[in-house]
Amino acid sequence: GAVVSQHPSWVICKSGTSVKIECRSLDFQATTMFWYRQFPKQSLMLMATSNEGSKATYEQGVEKDKFLINHASLTLSTLTVTSAHPEDSSFYICSARAPLGTGELFFGEGSRLTVL
Amino acid sequence: AQSVTQLDSHVSVSEGTPVLLRCNYSSSYSPSLFWYVQHPNKGLQLLLKYTSAATLVKGINGFEAEFKKSETSFHLTKPSAHMSDAAEYFCVVSVPGGYNKLIFGAGTRLAVHP
């Protein structure tokens, strides 16, 4: 099946710094990618829909200035957590939709962010 | 609006016994439904999906689910649990429209005992 890769898989940063997480579709082009956040022992919460070449669509309650999303190419979307604080510590997961005809979403391995 | 409710937050079974993970859905449209599995600190893997074809859907690793419109259910089953099945399972509904957004249930943690 299609492969979606996230980097880094885990990151620790100091409060106030910014952290960038990359999501790549390795063997297919993805015009749409999704970013999810998962708190410990909880379900996934959709944060935003990332569209190649246009602005991301954020879900209600998600701060767009806090979580910057850029989808500069058909194989790469990035999530930047700006001025991170301990409450931003979480597991961030991206997914990409397979090419037309299947519609299946493929998920990355996730990125664990810990803000000290 | 689309939503899914997973009726059990935790399920514990013995190895070799059947597994039943329950899911009820709510949808204004004919839904697309999925089951995903997540092992600790890992991403998600698709087990199976229902997209209005056969109501009994077979997935990977011996799992299957039956879509029952009259009961608005999409329960996940497996005849015989294996230790490697221990993980978090999510029932998911797709929001119709151009982006195919997924709405996740709260998850069911499956424990398998020897």
Side-chain angles (χ1 to χ4, degrees), chain A residues 47-97:
Chain A
M47 299 175 66
T49 302
S50 171
N51 303 297
E52 188 269 336
S54 65
K55 292 183 178 180
T57 303
Y58 289 82
E59 296 298 305
Q60 190 173 7
V62 178
E63 299 176 64
K64 60 180 66 176
D65 295 330
K66 176 74 170 176
F67 299 100
L68 300 180
I69 291 173
N70 184 280
H71 195 152
S73 77
L74 288 171
T75 59
L76 174 64
S77 175
T78 60
L79 168 69
T80 302
V81 183
T82 63
S83 186
H85 288 88
E87 58 265 30
D88 299 324
S89 299
S90 192
F91 195 52
Y92 293 89
I93 302 176
C94 74
S95 69
R97 189 170 63 163

Side-chain angles (χ1 to χ4, degrees), chain A residues 34 38 43 59 97 104 108 112, chain B residues 38 41 46 98-99 101 105:
Chain A
F34 302 91
Q38 185 180 31
S43 188
E59 296 298 305
R97 189 170 63 163
E104 182 176 343
R112 182 164 300 284
Chain B
Q38 184 183 34
N41 294 314
L46 178 66
Y99 294 141
K101 291 195 301 187

Side-chain angles (χ1 to χ4, degrees), chain A residues 8 11-13 17-21 79-84 113 115:
Chain A
V11 57
I12 301 173
C13 70
T17 61
S18 294
V19 174
K20 180 185 287 187
I21 300 170
L79 168 69
T80 302
V81 183
T82 63
S83 186
L113 170 63
V115 184

Side-chain angles (χ1 to χ4, degrees), chain B residues 26-45:
Chain B
S26 174
S27 177
S28 305
Y29 306 90
S30 181
S32 292
L33 294 161
F34 310 78
W35 276 98
Y36 281 87
V37 61
Q38 184 183 34
H39 289 91
N41 294 314
K42 295 289 187 181
L44 285 87
Q45 181 182 23

Side-chain angles (χ1 to χ4, degrees), chain B residues 3-114:
Chain B
S3 67
V4 288
T5 302
Q6 292 183 242
L7 301 173
D8 308 292
S9 59
H10 291 84
V11 170
S12 181
V13 301
S14 297
E15 189 175 21
T17 64
V19 175
L20 169 64
L21 305 183
R22 299 183 294 167
C23 172
N24 287 110
Y25 70 90
S26 174
S27 177
S28 305
Y29 306 90
S30 181
S32 292
L33 294 161
F34 310 78
W35 276 98
Y36 281 87
V37 61
Q38 184 183 34
H39 289 91
N41 294 314
K42 295 289 187 181
L44 285 87
Q45 181 182 23
L46 178 66
L47 282 179
L48 49 81
K49 63 180 178 182
Y50 167 77
T51 54
S52 75
T55 56
L56 182 61
V57 182
K58 294 187 182 300
I60 62 171
N61 301 335
F63 285 94
E64 63 181 38
E66 186 171 8
F67 174 75
K68 292 186 177 180
K69 186 175 181 179
S70 61
E71 299 176 8
T72 61
S73 70
F74 190 57
H75 302 334
L76 181 70
T77 60
K78 182 173 181 177
S80 176
H82 192 273
M83 296 296 290
S84 61
D85 294 328
E88 188 85 17
Y89 291 80
F90 294 99
C91 182
V92 182
V93 64
S94 175
V95 178
Y99 294 141
N100 278 355
K101 291 195 301 187
L102 298 184
I103 305 299
F104 283 73
T108 298
R109 182 165 297 276
L110 174 66
V112 182
H113 302 287

